[in-house]
Amino acid sequence: MPAAASNIVRTINLALQGGGAHGAFTWGVLDRLLEEEHLAFEGLSATSAGAMNAALFAYGLTVGGREGARKALAGYWKRVSDLAAQGPLQPSPIDRMTANYRLTWSPVFYVMNLLTRVLSPYEFNPANINPMRDVVEQSVDFDVLRRPDCPVKLFLSATNVRTGKVKVFAGEEISAAAVLASACIPTAFQAVEIDGEAYWDGGYMGNPALFPLIYNCKVPDIVIVHINPLVRKELPRTADEISNRIDEISFNSSLMREMRAVSFVTRLVTQHRIVGEALPHVFIHSIADDDFMATLSSTSKSNADWSFLSYLRDQGRKCAGDWLARNFGKIGLQSSVDIDSVYL
């Protein structure tokens, strides 16, 4: 592998998308990247399930180095699976026999889906019970993330409900509430209130936001870990497929807009039309497997069965390994993805 054959340490920033249980794919990507001794990390910008992964990555790296980060990520996803195993939302025997990781035959899933269409979380969950709060607090000591010796910069995006603007939590603002705000699905949970403001899932306005990395980090390389397919070859025809594709397009839209700006600035820089360092030169990289992610049902985003999470982790590890083998040598020198053809 090019990385192993070189003694050069290359530094990257990570941008992590959200997508429910599919975030276990990102767990696998991070697990593999952490094994690469010639790879260092400066900043992480993340949303929703990506925000969970980013907080665990930063916390584990602070208290235990690379192995600490890998342990923190694995521990979190195991807690998520254990929590799900105690609840009613389980793959049915038919789902398990077909091994498609969907919840197609789960009556509980469809009852909950119908419930969230006719009742708001303020009505069906007035006590605002969120079991994920305990999982997050058990997995991360947020005082550690607010310490000045945290080895990476952390930026977590949420959507301000009242203004519709993206809110990026960083530094002293990092907390369990910020992570939960970044992952707050409006139809499932009450808005998370922080300092008098209400927040929903950050995916609507930044999935993930790139600008915090561009303007707050020194290294120019941003590696985007995708879990929402940009491209689907098959036309969605069922109600679930159409709804899922609408969500994917919506959750990728903010990233597309930022990519258009990155492409514009890149052209100005390469054409020497910018004086001095008025605008930063950014190198974009992408770890994605749209073909694989497109095989997954939208219902599987709610499937936290350990066998499925492990499957996603393994796929993420493989995808990251393949990316390292092809692109490690490009880090710090050039983008490894054609921005215009992929994003514009």
Side-chain angles (χ1 to χ4, degrees), residues 23 37 41 78 111 118 124 143 161 239 243 265:
E37 295 180 355
F41 312 93
K78 189 61 169 67
V111 167
V118 297
F124 68 75
D143 288 336
V161 179
S243 177
V265 170

Side-chain angles (χ1 to χ4, degrees), residues 142-173:
F142 286 90
D143 288 336
V144 170
L145 294 184
R146 292 188 288 267
R147 289 182 349 205
D149 64 335
C150 182
V152 291
K153 300 173 183 177
L154 195 57
F155 307 97
L156 309 180
S157 295
T159 301
N160 187 304
V161 179
R162 295 185 177 91
T163 67
K165 297 179 180 179
V166 64
K167 166 63 179 178
V168 179
F169 296 95
E172 291 294 323
E173 298 174 318

Side-chain angles (χ1 to χ4, degrees), residues 136 162 166 228 236 246 286:
V136 171
R162 295 185 177 91
V166 64
N228 297 288
I246 290 172
S286 170

Side-chain angles (χ1 to χ4, degrees), residues 53-198:
N53 280 320
L56 293 154
F57 183 101
Y59 170 67
L61 204 60
T62 304
V63 298
R66 293 171 183 268
E67 286 305 312
R70 296 182 68 197
K71 182 178 179 180
L73 285 160
Y76 165 78
W77 284 102
K78 189 61 169 67
R79 290 188 186 96
V80 169
S81 180
D82 289 345
L83 176 65
Q86 299 171 19
L89 187 57
Q90 302 288 329
S92 71
I94 297 177
D95 290 321
R96 293 186 187 279
M97 283 190 296
T98 55
N100 59 15
Y101 301 107
R102 304 183 181 192
L103 298 175
T104 306
W105 300 97
S106 169
V108 175
F109 175 83
Y110 283 101
V111 167
M112 293 177 63
N113 190 41
L114 178 61
L115 184 67
T116 58
R117 290 176 186 269
V118 297
L119 296 175
S120 83
Y122 295 87
E123 296 169 321
F124 68 75
N125 185 14
N128 197 22
I129 298 171
N130 185 351
M132 283 301 298
R133 183 180 291 110
D134 290 338
V135 173
V136 171
E137 292 176 347
Q138 290 168 10
S139 301
V140 179
D141 181 347
F142 286 90
D143 288 336
V144 170
L145 294 184
R146 292 188 288 267
R147 289 182 349 205
D149 64 335
C150 182
V152 291
K153 300 173 183 177
L154 195 57
F155 307 97
L156 309 180
S157 295
T159 301
N160 187 304
V161 179
R162 295 185 177 91
T163 67
K165 297 179 180 179
V166 64
K167 166 63 179 178
V168 179
F169 296 95
E172 291 294 323
E173 298 174 318
I174 299 295
S175 64
V179 172
L180 293 170
S182 183
C184 179
I185 301 172
T187 56
F189 302 106
Q190 295 183 23
V192 176
E193 297 199 18
I194 301 175
D195 296 332
E197 293 290 348

